[in-house]
Amino acid sequence: MYQNKRYAINITIITFILVVFGVFMVYSASSIWALAKFNDSFYYLKRQSLFALLGAIGFFITTKISSDFLYKHANKIMIISLVLLGLVLIPGIGIERNGSRSWFGIGPFAIQPSELFKIAIVIYAAKYISNHFNETKRLKGFMSLLIMMVIGFVLIMLQPDFGTAVVILSALVLMMFITKLPMKYFGIMGAVGVLMVVGLIIIAPYRFQRITAFIDPWSDPLGSGFQIIQSLYAIGPGALLGNGLFASYQKHFYLPEPQTDFIFAIIVEEFGLVGGIIILLMFALLFIFGFKLAMNQEKEFDALLITGLLGLIMVQVIINLGVVVSLFPVTGITLPLISYGGSSLSVCLCSLGLIASRK
């Protein structure tokens, strides 16, 4: 269909505009830190450029993967991803960073299996829901899917990686939202989710500190509230048009690791409100074209697959931007296609490749 092809082309164009801009902003945000830590101001730029190249290759490879192949091998992909989530928890196999055992080390690089699990669970969910669509009037119609969700959630929380777990669960709920499941069940799941979050906060004191920092960052301005305060200090002076290219003050050792979770704060500081709105519009167009493409699919599997993959990206964007402007507690979620990070960028590009291939 010509219209679907046009949507796919638009998705591809927007995707790579954001990637190129992201590589550029990673350099702008990280050059000062990179020079101090590695004596090379281009350290993060070179790595992000390599990640972008690998992700671009992944994007074009995944555009060649047929729906039949994904449907046929969905269970195998799911099992492999769960095995990887289990292996990363084993000392000596998984490596620990910032208190989380979430990566496999490969030379100077690292792979995060929870990122691969994102795609795997969406493919599995798309197959399961399409096969049992008439049974989705009640929650028990999702039983096998819910079991897989729980297993994956537990393995990710053991790392621990609360932010990624929330993103995956939110995307799956979005997929369930377009089934026959009555609204009352979403209320039940929401209540259970709130109780789970409360429980996770109680058993991990550092999460409670993040909540209190979110409510009142100035209660601990040099500790748990530091990142949020410095992020707001970056956004505020940006005004309408920003301080100018490379003119961020907060990247000078005020905002920690500005090339990752809080890169949007640096964008607004340098490009102002106008620059921030343009980025938001780019993401909005990406989601609009993506969901229109999903609505035009003939196969339920393809429609669900696109919805789930877009949901992953959309929820991640919402959480990241919410954290940057102090609407949500700090979660460690990066801004898709723009923030520094190999696994996140590569998997995001592969997800968008799968979306763009559903013409």
Side-chain angles (χ1 to χ4, degrees):
M1 184 183 295
Y2 172 76
Q3 194 175 41
N4 285 357
K5 186 174 182 180
R6 187 180 65 184
Y7 291 148
I9 291 173
N10 290 337
I11 289 170
T12 302
I13 292 171
I14 293 171
T15 294
F16 285 98
I17 289 175
L18 288 171
V19 170
V20 171
F21 179 73
V23 171
F24 178 80
M25 284 309 304
V26 163
Y27 170 69
S28 177
S30 69
S31 59
I32 304 299
W33 283 83
L35 185 63
K37 292 175 66 175
F38 305 103
N39 198 32
D40 179 5
S41 61
F42 297 101
Y43 177 83
Y44 291 108
L45 172 64
K46 290 184 286 189
R47 292 170 68 90
Q48 187 73 351
S49 297
L50 178 59
F51 298 150
L53 177 61
L54 294 175
I57 294 171
F59 178 94
F60 288 107
I61 289 175
T62 51
T63 58
K64 306 300 180 183
I65 299 177
S66 68
S67 296
D68 293 339
F69 178 87
L70 293 175
Y71 183 89
K72 180 180 179 181
H73 297 287
N75 293 3
K76 297 175 185 176
I77 295 171
M78 185 67 195
I79 292 171
I80 291 171
S81 69
L82 287 174
V83 170
L84 292 176
L85 282 179
L87 288 175
V88 80
L89 297 172
I90 301 175
I93 297 179
I95 60 176
E96 187 173 334
R97 290 182 177 179
N98 300 321
S100 296
R101 189 177 298 278
S102 305
W103 289 268
F104 291 120
I106 301 178
F109 300 101
I111 296 176
Q112 196 170 2
S114 60
E115 292 290 336
L116 302 176
F117 179 75
K118 286 180 181 179
I119 296 181
I121 188 65
V122 167
I123 294 172
Y124 178 83
K127 177 180 178 178
Y128 183 86
I129 294 174
S130 62
N131 284 346
H132 301 85
F133 195 80
N134 291 328
E135 302 169 26
T136 59
K137 295 178 181 179
R138 301 184 67 181
L139 202 55
K140 69 177 183 179
F142 295 93
M143 191 54 63
S144 296
L145 176 58
L146 292 173
I147 291 172
M148 290 295 180
M149 286 170 58
V150 170
I151 294 173
F153 182 84
V154 170
L155 289 173
I156 291 173
M157 288 306 302
L158 288 173
Q159 297 179 7
D161 189 352
F162 180 70
T164 298
V166 169
V167 168
I168 293 171
L169 289 178
S170 299
L172 292 176
V173 169
L174 179 62
M175 294 178 72
M176 295 170 69
F177 192 77
I178 61 174
T179 65
K180 297 182 178 181
L181 191 65
M183 288 300 298
K184 65 178 182 179
Y185 289 106
F186 290 98
I188 295 172
M189 288 190 290
V192 172
V194 169
L195 291 175
M196 288 176 59
V197 169
V198 172
L200 291 169
I201 291 172
I202 291 173
I203 64 176
Y206 75 91
R207 294 195 185 107
F208 183 75
Q209 292 175 358
R210 289 183 176 182
I211 296 295
T212 56
F214 157 68
I215 296 172
D216 181 14
W218 291 101
S219 63
D220 188 11
L222 298 179
S224 57
F226 185 77
Q227 279 184 302
I228 295 176
I229 292 171
Q230 298 305 317
S231 175
L232 295 176
Y233 275 155
I235 292 172
L240 187 62
L241 298 176
N243 294 335
L245 185 61
F246 302 123
S248 166
Y249 295 107
Q250 290 303 107
K251 67 185 179 185
H252 289 262
F253 309 110
Y254 294 105
L255 182 59
E257 302 291 337
Q259 72 277 7
T260 55
D261 307 358
F262 287 85
I263 196 168
F264 187 74
I266 304 300
I267 292 172
V268 175
E269 186 181 10
E270 294 191 351
F271 294 97
L273 179 63
V274 172
I277 289 176
I278 289 173
I279 296 300
L280 293 178
L281 289 175
M282 295 287 284
F283 276 115
L285 287 172
L286 184 67
F287 300 140
I288 289 170
F289 290 132
F291 285 120
K292 284 186 175 181
L293 185 61
M295 291 169 61
N296 285 348
Q297 297 301 307
E298 295 180 358
K299 297 180 181 178
E300 289 179 352
F301 174 80
D302 287 337
L304 288 162
L305 179 66
I306 294 173
T307 300
L309 294 175
L310 276 177
L312 290 172
I313 301 170
M314 183 173 67
V315 171
Q316 195 168 331
V317 169
I318 292 171
I319 292 176
N320 177 270
L321 298 182
V323 168
V324 169
V325 299
S326 193
L327 289 177
F328 302 138
V330 175
T331 59
I333 294 294
T334 56
L335 184 60
L337 301 174
I338 295 179
S339 291
Y340 173 78
S343 295
S344 176
L345 178 58
S346 299
V347 170
C348 188
L349 283 169
C350 288
S351 298
L352 286 162
L354 289 175
I355 293 170
S357 67
R358 310 301 112 182
K359 301 174 184 177

